[in-house]
Amino acid sequence: AQKITQTQPGMFVQEKEAVTLDCTYDTSDQSYGLFWYKQPSSGEMIFLIYQGSYDEQNATEGRYSLNFQKARKSANLVISASQLGDSAMYFCAMREGLDSNYQLIWGAGTKLIIKP
Amino acid sequence: SAVISQKPSRDICQRGTSLTIQCQVDSQVTMMFWYRQQPGQSLTLIATANQGSEATYESGFVIDKFPISRPNLTFSTLTVSNMSPEDSSIYLCSVEYYAGVPLRTDTQYFGPGTRLTVL
C-alpha cells in the first residue's frame, strides 16, 4: 500500500488564486512528521513546510500553510495568492518517527502550473 | 540553512563510462544522502553516507555500481559506474540536521542536483 498518496498528477491554477495540493498518508505510528518540498524545472528540491504529528496548530510559512487533518490522515499544502514562480513539482514526504533514524517516504508529486 | 553545492550541474556521457558527482556543504553535517530521480518520477534513496563509516545502500543499489565516498563532514562523492541510458536521471545529495526553532525536527536540505544524460 502507498504510504504517501498525492492524487493530483497535475493542476492548472489562475495567478493570484489560492491552490490546495492534496496529500494523504498511511502510518500506524503515533510519532511522525510530514514535509512538503518544491522542485522547479531547474531540478533543485526546496524545503517548504513541516508538520509534526503532535503539533496542535497547522504549520504556516509565509504564503504556505499546511491543512493537517490527523483523523483523515491528510496534510494538504495550501498556497495563497499564487504567483507564476509557484509553477513547479510539489512533493509530500513523511517520516515515521521523529528523528533522523527514519527515512523520508516520498509521494509521486503534483505538477502545478500557474496561468497568467 | 546550510548551503549545498553539487558538481557537475549537468553532463552528457557515453554508455560504459563513469561519472563522479561531488557534493559540498558549507558546514559540518553528519547525515548525507544520495537520491536518484528518474524522468517524471519521485525521489529514490540510493544510500546514506555518514562520515567515518561505509555507506548504507538501499535495496536495488549496490556499491559496485554506485560507490560513495565521505572523507569528511562537509564533502561526499557519488560515482555512477558503467553507465547505461537507464542511469539518465537527476542525482541529488541532501544533508539532514536539526533545524531548531520553530521546526524542532531533523530536516533534509538538498543540493541543486546533477542532471545526467547517458547516450
Side-chain angles (χ1 to χ4, degrees):
Chain A
Q2 292 289 332
K3 290 260 187 179
I4 293 286
T5 302
Q6 295 181 253
T7 58
Q8 307 149 309
M11 287 186 69
F12 288 90
V13 173
Q14 201 69 37
E15 188 181 11
K16 299 182 184 177
E17 290 184 351
V19 55
T20 297
L21 304 179
D22 295 341
C23 174
T24 58
Y25 59 92
D26 182 23
T27 182
S28 56
D29 284 7
Q30 296 300 309
S31 301
Y32 55 89
L34 297 152
F35 301 79
W36 277 92
Y37 286 84
K38 172 185 179 181
Q39 187 178 40
S41 57
S42 60
E44 61 182 317
M45 292 289 286
I46 303 167
F47 167 71
L48 295 179
I49 198 167
Y50 165 80
Q51 181 85 40
S53 59
Y54 295 116
D55 295 341
E56 295 183 351
Q57 292 190 335
N58 287 340
T60 61
E61 186 65 48
R63 292 187 299 113
Y64 304 108
S65 61
L66 206 152
N67 184 2
F68 182 46
Q69 299 189 34
K70 197 169 181 177
R72 295 186 177 183
K73 293 188 176 179
S74 74
N76 298 338
L77 177 70
V78 180
I79 306 173
S80 63
S82 58
Q83 303 171 356
L84 296 179
D86 294 331
S87 295
M89 285 291 293
Y90 288 81
F91 291 93
C92 178
M94 176 176 67
R95 172 184 287 122
E96 294 175 300
L98 295 178
D99 62 39
S100 59
N101 289 324
Y102 302 89
Q103 295 176 19
L104 287 179
I105 303 166
W106 295 85
T110 295
K111 185 171 185 176
L112 176 64
I113 297 175
I114 306 299
K115 299 182 293 182
Chain B
S1 60
V3 176
I4 307 163
S5 60
Q6 280 186 240
K7 290 181 181 180
S9 59
R10 58 176 64 230
D11 208 341
I12 301 174
C13 301
Q14 297 296 319
R15 70 169 63 213
T17 62
S18 298
L19 176 72
T20 295
I21 302 167
Q22 299 178 4
C23 180
Q24 179 79 51
V25 190
D26 69 345
S27 57
Q28 294 184 339
V29 292
T30 302
M31 304 286 286
M32 291 185 78
F33 305 87
W34 286 98
Y35 288 88
R36 181 176 74 181
Q37 186 181 27
Q38 294 177 303
Q41 303 294 314
S42 186
L43 276 68
T44 301
L45 181 64
I46 297 172
T48 302
N50 292 338
Q51 194 268 339
S53 61
E54 296 290 325
T56 302
Y57 289 83
E58 297 302 306
S59 175
F61 298 96
V62 295
I63 188 171
D64 290 346
K65 175 68 176 177
F66 297 101
I68 288 171
S69 77
R70 181 81 200 273
N72 56 53
L73 291 173
T74 63
F75 187 77
S76 179
T77 66
L78 168 75
T79 298
V80 186
S81 304
N82 188 25
M83 288 185 285
S84 67
E86 290 71 35
D87 293 319
S88 297
S89 298
I90 298 174
Y91 291 85
L92 293 143
C93 74
S94 73
V95 301
E96 183 170 88
Y97 55 86
Y98 185 72
V101 175
L103 296 178
R104 297 191 181 91
T105 190
D106 296 313
T107 303
Q108 283 194 29
Y109 297 90
F110 286 80
T114 296
R115 195 178 295 266
L116 171 63
T117 302
V118 184
L119 302 177

